[in-house]
């Protein structure tokens, strides 16, 4: 029989404030093991981490529904799905606190300007929009540029690639908490665009919208679908996966 692994840690150190564990506690559970994903390229997407929930792998949109809960009518081909002016789509599954990875590309042929150029959006719980836009050398209002938390916070920098090139969003979302009608904790959003941090734990003012001030006046649940916006432009999406956030001691 293999020898039992020696216990590593201590049982005579101070207790951590607000915790049941000591400093360097020998009994504290180890983090779950996850095999990291791989980085992709302009030609091919990367591979998700081993514990990710894959929402779109390039082959079909069976995990999504279209307008009024009907079938998705976006074009699915060559490893991506493309907006076809048939309405927003959203996941069948609902998520709350999560890490989201999504890749998108605005049309290579530039048409229009400002908000009329490569416009779409990624909505966490169907309510909090991270703007998708061809923001490469394309002036528009600051809180509507690419990777903005729409209508509230511009990104720290504009990290856009050229039109037609694949871009990445890596988003960490913490949903708001309500007790009955009272807000206990707001939503927090972190966004990395093409490997560049553009929002760090931003406190959301509430569900986003066009030409209105966000608020938490209408309480909502801690989970909801991931929604992708059809704004009329042929934006493409690929390699979409999510990891619900769990504590390391769970």
């Amino acid at each position: 029989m293999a020898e039992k692994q020696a216990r590593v840690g201590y049982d005579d150190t101070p207790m951590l404030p607000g915790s049941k564990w000591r400093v360097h506690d020998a009994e504290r559970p180890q983090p779950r093991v996850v095999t990291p994903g791989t980085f992709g390229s302009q030609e091919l997407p990367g591979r998700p981490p081993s514990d990710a929930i894959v929402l779109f792998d390039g082959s079909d949109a069976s995990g999504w529904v279209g307008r009024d809960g009907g079938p998705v009518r976006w074009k699915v081909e060559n490893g991506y799905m493309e907006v076809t002016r048939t309405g927003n789509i959203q996941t069948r599954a609902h998520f709350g606190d999560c890490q989201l990875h999504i890749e998108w590309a605005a049309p290579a042929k530039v048409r229009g300007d400002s908000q009329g150029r490569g416009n779409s959006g990624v909505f966490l719980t169907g309510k909090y929009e991270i703007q998708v836009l061809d923001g490469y050398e394309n002036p528009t209002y600051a809180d509507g540029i690419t990777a903005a938390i729409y209508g509230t916070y511009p990104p720290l920098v504009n990290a856009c690639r050229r039109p037609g090139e694949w871009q990445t969003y890596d988003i960490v979302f913490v949903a708001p908490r309500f007790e009955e009608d009272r807000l206990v904790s707001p939503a927090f959003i972190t966004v990395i665009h093409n490997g560049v941090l553009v929002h760090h734990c931003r406190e959301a003012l509430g569900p986003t919208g066009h030409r209105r001030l966000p608020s938490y006046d209408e309480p909502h649940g801690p989970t909801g679908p991931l929604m992708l916006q059809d704004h009329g432009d042929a934006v493409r999406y690929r390699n979409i996966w999510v990891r619900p956030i769990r504590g390391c001691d769970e």
Side-chain angles (χ1 to χ4, degrees), residues 26-98:
E27 301 300 323
R28 194 167 189 175
Q30 294 292 311
R32 294 181 299 115
V33 175
V34 172
T35 303
T38 60
F39 293 103
S41 66
Q42 285 298 315
E43 292 73 29
L44 295 171
R47 186 177 67 242
S50 60
D51 66 342
I53 299 170
V54 177
L55 301 176
F56 180 67
D57 65 1
S59 60
D60 71 82
S62 60
W64 301 72
V65 294
R67 182 180 292 163
D68 300 324
V72 170
R73 291 189 288 160
W74 288 16
K75 181 166 60 177
V76 178
E77 64 180 19
N78 300 322
Y80 61 79
M81 56 182 172
E82 182 179 297
V83 175
T84 56
R85 297 190 177 186
T86 54
N88 299 346
I89 66 172
Q90 66 185 44
T91 56
R92 297 180 185 275
H94 286 201
F95 305 96
D97 300 354
C98 67

Side-chain angles (χ1 to χ4, degrees), residues 81-160:
M81 56 182 172
E82 182 179 297
V83 175
T84 56
R85 297 190 177 186
T86 54
N88 299 346
I89 66 172
Q90 66 185 44
T91 56
R92 297 180 185 275
H94 286 201
F95 305 96
D97 300 354
C98 67
Q99 172 192 352
L100 172 69
H101 175 88
I102 189 165
E103 301 177 16
W104 60 273
K109 185 173 182 179
V110 174
R111 291 194 177 113
D113 57 18
S114 185
Q115 295 291 296
R117 181 172 144 185
N119 194 326
S120 184
V122 176
F123 289 75
L124 288 306
T125 68
K127 298 180 181 295
Y128 299 82
E129 181 183 7
I130 308 303
Q131 173 76 313
V132 170
L133 188 79
D134 178 6
Y136 186 83
E137 298 181 351
N138 178 28
T140 189
Y141 46 85
D143 58 17
I145 194 62
T146 318
I149 300 174
Y150 189 73
T152 48
Y153 298 113
L156 295 172
V157 297
N158 181 333
C160 279

